[in-house]
Amino acid sequence: MTAKILDGKAVAAKERQRSAARAADFVSRYGRPPGLAVVKVGDDPASAVYVRNKRKACEECGIASFAHDLPATTTREELLALIGRLNRDDAVDGILLQLPLPKGLDSTEIMDTIDPAKDVDGFHPINTGLLAQKRPGLRACTPWGVMRLLKEYAIDVTGMRATVVGASNIVGRPMALELLLARATVTVCHTGTRDLQGEVQRADLVVAAVGKARYIPGIWIRDGAVVIDVGINRLPDGKLAGDVEYAPAAERAAWITPVPGGVGPMTIAMLLSNTVDAALVRKGADVG
């Protein structure tokens, strides 16, 4: 068996086009574009790349991007004051706090002060709680992007045995909630899991979100399974690799996401979608 590719680049492009059309409609109705404030603290090189890509994506979709690049010496009080101003700013529909923050700043504390209605990352405990209660509002971008990708390829997860490897608040836990909402039977694996190999081998759908290159051997993948690889890891030779050993996994799986070009593009696409959604909800309009 040779796996079919879940092309995140192509699906993300379609989603961006949809967001651009919705943003243009928002401008015609309300006289301003949806607005996203991106807050970056410090000089982390990876963060600089991510932020630049997000701001470029906003520009391409007709979303106003408000840049707040702060020095690493920014204090807790200064950062909280900025978040407070952005919460009150009517031109700002979404707030994105780029992680990681410099040492001495508690990312959980800071993120918890973001207005849940502007939490376009979907990380606020209120938005996570709504998802857990089957009342989703703003959803974590990467898991939401995975669900959008599966939908595009008409992969119905209802009844599937889904195994999520990784239990982070950013990907693993909300991913499990998304799959549960879609009526899959979900197992979450973490550092306390006793038989990771067995859990992966039993799965119809594997979502790998560990952040360790080729952590899951490809031979663990069940014949005909769907493999969603969230990991983006840079190897010593500079190449990128996912959390799953790709070549042997692709020989067994029915569907697989490549790295790069799989889940990564979907994350930014859903950030744009969330921003338009947040703008519409704040106006009392239907998100469509």
Side-chain angles (χ1 to χ4, degrees):
M1 177 177 293
T2 302
K4 297 177 183 177
I5 299 298
L6 294 164
D7 189 344
K9 282 186 178 179
V11 180
K14 290 178 66 173
E15 192 63 36
R16 285 193 191 203
Q17 289 175 354
R18 179 173 175 267
S19 291
R22 296 168 69 219
D25 181 65
F26 186 91
V27 172
S28 68
R29 292 165 67 181
Y30 302 110
R32 69 165 180 86
L36 174 65
V38 180
V39 180
K40 180 176 74 70
V41 186
D43 302 309
D44 180 77
S47 292
V49 173
Y50 295 147
V51 166
R52 184 165 62 247
N53 289 341
K54 289 167 183 174
R55 289 171 179 163
K56 181 181 178 183
C58 284
E59 181 180 342
E60 292 173 351
C61 282
I63 293 172
S65 177
F66 305 106
H68 296 274
D69 296 330
L70 308 178
T73 54
T74 300
T75 65
R76 168 184 176 274
E77 290 73 21
E78 290 169 336
L79 186 52
L80 288 173
L82 172 61
I83 297 298
R85 290 195 297 273
L86 296 176
N87 282 340
R88 297 186 295 272
D89 189 337
D90 230 17
V92 173
D93 300 295
I95 302 170
L96 185 150
L97 178 65
Q98 183 64 44
L99 301 178
L101 296 177
K103 289 183 179 179
L105 294 173
D106 184 340
S107 59
T108 299
E109 178 194 21
I110 304 300
M111 287 193 295
D112 282 357
T113 65
I114 294 174
D115 181 349
K118 297 187 177 187
D119 167 41
V120 288
D121 263 332
F123 295 160
H124 195 283
I126 286 179
N127 286 323
T128 302
L130 287 171
L131 180 60
Q133 290 192 350
K134 301 188 288 186
R135 298 187 292 152
L138 292 172
R139 298 152 95 147
C141 297
T142 298
W144 188 214
V146 169
M147 300 309 294
R148 173 70 181 84
L149 189 58
L150 292 170
K151 181 180 179 181
E152 181 70 19
Y153 286 91
I155 297 173
D156 183 2
V157 304
T158 302
M160 278 190 179
R161 288 174 291 189
T163 294
V164 179
V165 185
S168 73
N169 289 337
I170 294 174
V171 179
R173 291 171 189 268
M175 187 75 255
L177 291 173
E178 289 284 1
L179 290 166
L180 186 61
L181 184 64
R183 301 176 63 210
T185 300
V186 184
T187 298
V188 180
C189 297
H190 42 73
T191 54
T193 298
R194 293 179 179 176
D195 183 17
L196 178 61
Q197 179 176 348
E199 298 294 353
V200 172
Q201 287 177 329
R202 284 186 285 272
D204 303 308
L205 169 65
V206 176
V207 180
V210 184
K212 295 182 180 180
R214 299 166 181 162
Y215 185 77
I216 299 174
I219 60 172
W220 288 6
I221 301 302
R222 177 179 178 175
D223 287 348
V226 179
V227 178
I228 304 293
D229 196 340
V230 179
I232 302 177
N233 310 285
R234 193 165 295 280
L235 301 175
D237 63 4
K239 294 181 180 179
L240 296 178
D243 290 350
V244 178
E245 190 183 14
Y246 184 85
E251 291 178 3
R252 295 168 171 263
W255 295 92
I256 194 168
T257 57
V259 177
V263 176
M266 295 302 302
T267 299
I268 292 182
M270 302 320 293
L271 170 67
L272 302 174
S273 179
N274 275 355
T275 301
V276 179
D277 283 352
L280 289 167
V281 170
R282 293 182 68 238
K283 291 293 187 181
D286 186 1
V287 298

